[in-house]
């Protein structure tokens, strides 16, 4: 396919109140921490937004019927998953969704389980709702992070009501296989545990042979106990527009979820809906080229990091995030170490596992290379100093 989109083009994000860039405002630190990409959104999205902005009236907006239909077709075509319009609940963000699930399932002092390391709101959501958190570490088998099913089963107690699944998994980049999801679903079915499946990264599969499987698509029984959370925000780089959705086929669960939202959770904003329509419907070429670009960035990160003394990272099947183990390096505070070297990474402790850092490679390649060079220089100097 011809390259139509220039992901190499520098985009100056200063003056846009960017969370990612303003953290290091005025400092020579390349920000590779929070999960948004430095790329322009697809042209179809920008055109649709401009058209809508030029209309000039920004009143309360209903969920567009057209968007529901786009999502229903997308789920069927991409994943063979048949959903109904009534199952879709629109949300202004997926962190909102995660917290809502914790409130909607069970009662105070119940237990919520998740597999660590994981996206920080999975660790704070249960406590925000007066629930207890059970953390079960993923285990490294070969160079792949896997669920520890024995540990999961052993850790379930009579108050465990909810499992927070992240698939594809931020930060380890796994795309879980059917047999892994089935084993997890079997355990949850056996113990009557509701599954919250955050699938926000499902459009960012980098391994050509891999397919995303929504866990709710495994069986009617699993669908019945699953709340799926999705959004166009990661794939099409729209996180500032706050438009996401839950798919809940079980009417009772949906009722509890809606009750937890009532009067508190705002509507999705007008521009979020407009962007979502153009992203899902009109941005396929951009999406395909993005994945090609990210795949090369990923390969660059993995080969560079795995050459750095004391650092390692495993294959990344999805997301634009690399999970880097620094424990063999002897560096006490890896985030500070790399900030001092001019690269801003995300602290592993916040994902439940100190000794790791997360690197966001959703940026132009020249910037990524510069960051990797800075990291390599600093780590080689450090290794030279200690050995
Ligand atoms: C797994 C996961 N869920 C949710 C979010 C954030 O969702 P939102 O910005 O819609 O709240 C992220 C952002 O990085 C994420 O990685």
């Amino acid at each position: 396919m011809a390259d139509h989109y220039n992901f190499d083009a520098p985009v100056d994000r200063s003056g846009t109140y960017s969370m990612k860039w303003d953290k290091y405002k005025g400092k020579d630190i390349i920000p590779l921490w929070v999960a948004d990409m430095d790329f322009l959104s697809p042209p179809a999205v920008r055109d649709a937004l401009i058209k809508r902005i030029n209309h000039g009236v920004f009143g309360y907006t209903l969920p567009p019927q057209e968007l529901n239909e786009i999502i229903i077709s997308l789920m069927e075509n991409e994943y063979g998953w048949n959903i109904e319009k009534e199952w879709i609940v629109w949300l202004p963000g997926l962190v909102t969704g995660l917290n809502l699930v914790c409130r909607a399932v069970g009662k105070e002092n119940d237990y919520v389980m998740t597999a660590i390391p994981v996206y920080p709101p999975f660790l704070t959501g249960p406590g925000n709702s007066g629930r207890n958190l059970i953390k079960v570490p993923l285990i490294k088998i070969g160079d792949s992070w896997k669920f520890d099913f024995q540990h999961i089963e052993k850790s379930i107690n009579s108050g465990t009501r909810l499992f927070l699944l992240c698939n594809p998994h931020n930060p380890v980049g796994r795309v879980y296989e059917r047999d892994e999801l089935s084993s997890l679903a079997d355990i949850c079915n056996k113990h009557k545990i509701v599954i919250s499946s955050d699938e926000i990264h499902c459009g960012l599969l980098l391994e050509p042979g891999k397919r995303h499987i929504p866990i709710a698509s495994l069986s009617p029984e699993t669908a019945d106990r699953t709340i799926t959370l999705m959004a166009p925000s990661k794939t099409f780089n729209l996180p500032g527009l706050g438009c996401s959705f839950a798919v809940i086929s079980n009417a009772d669960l949906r009722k509890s979820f809606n009750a937890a939202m009532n009067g508190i959770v705002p509507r999705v904003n007008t521009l979020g809906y407009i962007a979502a329509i153009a992203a899902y419907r009109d941005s396929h070429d951009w999406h395909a080229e993005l994945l090609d670009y990210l795949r090369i960035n990923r390969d660059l990160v993995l080969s560079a990091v795995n050459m750095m003394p004391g650092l390692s990272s495993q294959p990344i099947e999805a997301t634009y995030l690399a999970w880097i183990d620094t424990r063999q390096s002897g560096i006490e505070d890896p985030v500070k170490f790399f900030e001092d070297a001019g690269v801003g990474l995300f602290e592993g402790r916040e994902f439940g596992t100190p000794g790791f850092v997360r690197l966001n490679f959703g940026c132009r390649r020249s910037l990524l290379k510069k960051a990797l060079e800075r990291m390599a220089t600093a780590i080689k100097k450090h290794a030279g100093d200690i050995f």
Side-chain angles (χ1 to χ4, degrees):
M1 190 196 310
D3 281 346
H4 297 106
Y5 309 101
N6 184 2
F7 295 104
D8 285 324
V11 178
D12 181 4
R13 298 184 65 187
S14 61
T16 65
Y17 315 109
S18 155
M19 180 190 277
K20 186 185 192 185
W21 282 81
D22 279 13
K23 178 170 183 191
Y24 298 115
K25 200 171 176 175
K27 296 184 183 153
D28 182 19
I29 298 178
I30 300 169
L32 304 182
W33 66 288
V34 77
D36 73 26
M37 300 188 281
D38 288 338
F39 308 130
L40 295 179
S41 287
V45 169
R46 287 180 280 136
D47 289 347
L49 289 173
I50 289 166
K51 191 166 161 218
R52 183 63 188 83
I53 284 168
N54 283 340
H55 179 269
V57 180
F58 305 109
Y60 296 122
T61 307
L62 295 167
Q65 178 53 25
E66 193 184 356
L67 182 54
N68 288 329
E69 280 158 17
I70 289 167
I71 283 167
I72 291 167
S73 308
L74 185 79
M75 296 304 140
E76 189 179 349
N77 299 337
E78 287 289 318
Y79 313 122
W81 184 30
N82 294 307
I83 67 166
E84 291 173 20
K85 189 186 121 208
E86 288 66 36
W87 302 355
I88 301 174
V89 182
W90 286 98
L91 297 166
L94 270 211
V95 172
T96 305
L98 285 167
N99 282 275
L100 282 169
V101 178
C102 293
R103 279 171 175 69
V105 175
K107 55 183 188 326
E108 268 197 43
N109 298 320
D110 279 347
Y111 287 78
V112 178
M113 184 178 279
T114 197
I116 59 165
V118 76
Y119 179 58
F122 281 57
L123 304 177
T124 50
N128 290 343
S129 311
R131 271 62 166 171
N132 300 296
L133 176 66
I134 305 171
K135 297 182 280 190
V136 180
L138 293 170
I139 43 173
K140 190 105 173 273
I141 299 181
D143 59 5
S144 187
W145 293 95
K146 305 264 192 195
F147 290 119
D148 183 346
F149 290 115
Q150 272 186 354
H151 195 168
I152 287 177
E153 266 221 91
K154 233 176 41 207
S155 307
I156 292 171
N157 62 36
S158 58
T160 310
R161 298 278 172 267
L162 178 64
F163 189 96
L164 300 179
L165 167 68
C166 192
N167 180 36
H169 195 117
N170 170 10
V172 300
R174 276 300 317 283
V175 176
Y176 293 113
E177 304 279 357
R178 185 172 295 276
D179 63 329
E180 296 175 288
L181 294 172
S182 294
S183 299
L184 184 67
D186 287 348
I187 293 174
C188 292
N189 290 336
K190 179 169 148 199
H191 295 277
K192 301 195 175 0
I193 293 172
V194 171
I195 302 168
S196 163
S197 188
D198 180 333
E199 303 183 11
I200 195 170
H201 294 280
C202 66
L204 291 167
L205 265 61
L206 303 179
E207 260 333 284
K210 285 259 171 185
R211 301 289 297 169
H212 172 71
I213 304 172
I215 195 165
S217 69
L218 288 180
S219 70
E221 191 185 4
T222 304
D224 209 42
R225 58 177 63 262
T226 299
I227 294 175
T228 304
L229 301 169
M230 288 187 175
S233 54
K234 295 290 154 193
T235 312
F236 299 97
N237 207 26
L238 313 166
L241 290 177
C243 175
S244 16
F245 59 96
V247 181
I248 315 171
S249 59
N250 178 318
D252 291 334
L253 261 185
R254 202 165 58 242
K255 199 167 153 206
S256 307
F257 190 85
N258 278 314
M261 289 175 73
N262 247 345
I264 300 173
V265 176
R267 293 174 181 83
V268 172
N269 81 79
T270 307
L271 298 181
Y273 283 134
I274 298 301
I277 293 173
Y280 281 138
R281 191 191 56 198
D282 305 325
S283 304
H284 300 293
D285 289 359
W286 182 94
H287 182 200
E289 285 189 26
L290 170 78
L291 296 181
D292 289 342
Y293 194 88
L294 289 178
R295 212 170 278 127
I296 297 174
N297 277 9
R298 172 200 62 180
D299 295 346
L300 203 70
V301 170
L302 288 182
S303 60
V305 165
N306 286 321
M307 301 257 290
M308 295 182 198
L311 261 55
S312 61
S313 186
Q314 75 300 327
I316 300 157
E317 297 166 344
T319 77
Y320 47 79
L321 308 164
W323 186 238
I324 301 172
D325 188 347
T326 70
R327 291 173 301 175
Q328 300 301 315
S329 67
I331 297 167
E332 264 181 38
D333 183 343
V335 169
K336 172 153 190 333
F337 176 87
F338 288 115
E339 281 176 353
D340 289 345
V343 181
L345 303 176
F346 216 131
E347 169 64 73
R349 186 175 285 109
E350 294 191 35
F351 295 75
T353 52
F356 290 77
V357 285
R358 196 190 72 176
L359 181 153
N360 171 349
F361 54 85
C363 64
R364 68 180 192 274
R365 199 159 299 137
S366 57
L367 191 70
L368 181 63
K369 282 185 179 158
K370 193 166 162 186
L372 292 169
E373 276 159 20
R374 287 180 176 188
M375 288 172 68
T377 306
I379 201 105
K380 278 184 195 140
K381 178 168 181 317
H382 170 80
D385 286 350
I386 58 170
F387 295 120

